[in-house]
Amino acid sequence: MKRVAVLISGRGSNLGSLIEAAGGSYKIILVISNVEGVAGLDRAQAANIPTQVIPHGGKTRESFDGEIDAALRAANAEIVVLAGFMRILSDGFVRGWEGKLINIHPSLLPAYKGTRVHERVIEAKEALSGASVHFVVPELDAGPVIAQASVPVYPADSPQILADRVLDVEHKLYPEALRLLADGKVKLQNGLAVFT
Ligand code: GRF
């Protein structure tokens, strides 16, 4: 079983689905939040998973990332999962975890990188949106995609309604993608996600 650490900043609903699906290919050995008192920390504690709060305030990006890296190494993490983690990680950190660091983004990447995704999808009158799990590379939301799921976008959708519809598929998609990585069925090779 691969040792997985999850980085969060908030409510942790994806963390919750990863906790529920754990057991076969992976176990969650640590949850780190950069924000204290968030619901995701309660979810981890309810599942008896060790938690750590590492605030980012007043630190350089490199020193904050260095603290996270040290905590991950001390816990012998083998895979690092970003689940609603709202900080951009430095190139050095990303390179140090290359091929072992994944994120979920609420769009069909490479479309709609960045923030205000659902607002922009609705403004553009897209018929389809969705979620993507990808390897993290230094460029934001640009890493090779491991798995995607799509949802329809309806004319009457508000950003919140669309976000909820996307979130539903995220909860199924993220554990599936993590399992592929933990089982060695997908690897990052020469900048591509390679499936075996
Ligand atoms: C999700 O929509 C995810 O795609 C994005 O941040 C949100 C996190 O939600 N990266 P939660 O904290 O997992 O509930």
Side-chain angles (χ1 to χ4, degrees):
M1 258 200 270
K2 279 282 185 329
R3 297 173 63 79
V4 170
V6 184
L7 271 50
I8 62 164
S9 300
R11 97 196 125 173
S13 70
N14 277 292
L15 169 65
S17 73
L18 294 168
I19 291 172
E20 273 170 35
S25 316
Y26 69 90
K27 61 177 172 184
I28 301 177
I29 49 101
L30 177 64
V31 172
I32 299 176
S33 173
N34 64 313
V35 184
E36 60 183 333
V38 294
L41 288 168
D42 298 336
R43 284 179 200 258
Q45 281 151 11
N48 291 315
I49 297 167
T51 60
Q52 244 176 287
V53 176
I54 303 183
H56 60 273
K59 294 171 192 165
T60 64
R61 201 181 289 289
E62 283 68 26
S63 91
F64 171 64
D65 290 2
E67 280 183 49
I68 296 203
D69 187 66
L72 295 171
R73 306 278 173 201
N76 293 316
E78 296 172 285
I79 294 175
V80 180
V81 172
L82 308 182
F85 182 66
M86 298 306 286
R87 305 297 300 171
I88 293 173
L89 293 161
S90 55
D91 292 7
F93 180 95
V94 170
R95 271 194 287 273
W97 288 95
E98 195 178 65
K100 297 170 185 148
L101 177 61
I102 60 175
N103 182 44
I104 191 160
H105 182 76
S107 79
L108 292 174
L109 290 173
Y112 300 99
K113 297 172 184 173
T115 56
R116 293 186 60 254
V117 169
H118 308 298
E119 285 87 340
R120 290 188 285 133
V121 165
I122 289 168
E123 274 161 29
K125 299 192 175 3
E126 299 284 1
L128 218 55
S129 192
S132 308
V133 178
H134 63 94
F135 285 111
V136 177
V137 300
E139 196 190 329
L140 190 69
D141 298 331
V145 168
I146 297 171
Q148 283 183 320
S150 61
V151 302
V153 183
Y154 299 118
D157 280 350
S158 64
Q160 189 56 55
I161 285 173
L162 179 56
D164 290 346
R165 192 177 304 127
V166 171
L167 195 63
D168 258 2
V169 301
E170 288 183 37
H171 293 160
K172 194 160 166 285
L173 186 70
Y174 216 176
E176 287 173 1
L178 174 56
R179 220 173 285 127
L180 285 178
L181 180 63
D183 290 343
K185 292 185 175 148
V186 63
K187 289 190 171 71
L188 180 63
Q189 269 172 15
N190 303 321
L192 296 173
V194 177
F195 296 83
T196 50

